[in-house]
Amino acid sequence: MPSQLWPYITPGIPDELFENLPGIPLSPRELRLLLISQLRLQADSVLWDIGAGTGTIPVEVGLLCPQGRVVAVERDEEVANLIKRNCDRFGVKNVEVMEGSAPECLHDIKLPPQRICIEGGRTIQEILQVAWRYLPPSGRVVATAANLESLYAISQSFSQLRARNIEVVQSAVNRLETRGFSQTFVAADPIFILSGEKLD
């Protein structure tokens, strides 16, 4: 369901259309597209976005899946309010913002997930293992790793949980930017996107 600010049915909202706060992560547009494609959403999917940051994924998924629901989990009150403001900017009504620290707050979520997105977190291994318990058979987890430690922690968790159909993608994005009088390609920080499914 397109919004006035983004009147298209395709994802890929430009970063500058989102309100943001200094120091709060914003998933760049190209990374968002990769991440959303790995979620393999259906029209009525329920997604938990753990560590939702600026709220770019909840907004994009909320627009893509108007019959679905998104629960955006964020521990910081100011950042949780930022997610709400970004949802309001785009007229997204199917996102619920849960203020709390994962994994402790996950038992308070009323809607069971079919998809879980984990965007970082100091205790990503613990978050992944607790969140996995709420996932039904055929459910899917997508997690991002910005460093080697997180990559190892997620890989190890997938192995322990016996996740199936595991995929790993590393982003390599270059954007054209104007520097002085010339235009040059600037590389975005590479991110690993890991996904796996819970099967019987």
Side-chain angles (χ1 to χ4, degrees):
M1 180 98 77
S3 75
Q4 287 187 330
L5 197 57
W6 184 249
Y8 310 105
I9 60 169
T10 53
I13 299 170
D15 299 345
E16 61 270 16
L17 292 184
F18 290 96
E19 181 183 339
N20 57 66
L21 292 171
I24 302 306
L26 182 148
S27 300
R29 174 177 55 187
E30 295 84 359
L31 178 61
R32 255 180 281 137
L33 291 170
L34 281 171
L35 202 153
I36 289 168
S37 74
Q38 291 297 315
L39 285 170
R40 297 182 187 165
L41 298 162
Q42 295 177 316
D44 59 352
S45 290
V46 176
L47 167 69
W48 287 4
D49 185 14
I50 302 170
T54 304
T56 56
I57 296 292
V59 167
E60 295 263 26
V61 172
L63 291 172
L64 271 176
C65 305
Q67 299 160 12
R69 300 285 299 168
V70 181
V71 180
V73 179
E74 182 53 57
R75 67 173 180 256
D76 184 271
E77 181 182 3
E78 189 178 10
V79 182
N81 288 331
L82 174 65
I83 297 168
K84 292 174 187 173
R85 290 196 302 274
N86 273 319
C87 288
D88 290 343
R89 276 173 74 85
F90 289 91
V92 175
K93 306 292 185 195
N94 54 347
V95 173
E96 173 191 342
V97 180
M98 162 72 70
E99 190 183 323
S101 290
E104 294 80 15
C105 71
L106 299 182
H107 73 276
D108 293 327
I109 302 175
K110 303 293 187 284
L111 286 169
Q114 287 135 350
R115 303 289 185 267
I116 296 174
C117 176
I118 305 173
E119 298 184 76
R122 285 185 294 252
T123 58
I124 196 161
Q125 199 162 16
E126 186 184 358
I127 291 168
L128 177 50
Q129 292 189 351
V130 172
W132 189 264
R133 296 179 205 152
Y134 296 94
L135 205 62
S138 78
R140 189 169 178 82
V141 169
V142 177
T144 61
N147 54 56
L148 191 59
E149 291 76 16
S150 294
L151 177 63
Y152 177 75
I154 297 166
S155 298
Q156 189 178 47
S157 293
F158 275 163
S159 176
Q160 291 168 351
L161 296 167
R162 299 188 177 168
R164 297 291 180 258
N165 301 326
I166 295 171
E167 294 182 36
V168 182
V169 176
Q170 183 190 26
S171 66
V173 174
N174 296 285
R175 286 182 172 180
L176 189 66
E177 293 185 7
T178 302
R179 298 278 173 98
F181 295 105
S182 62
Q183 292 185 309
T184 184
F185 283 96
V186 178
D189 290 338
I191 300 288
F192 287 94
I193 302 172
L194 298 89
S195 56
E197 294 176 358
K198 184 177 187 178
L199 302 179
D200 289 333

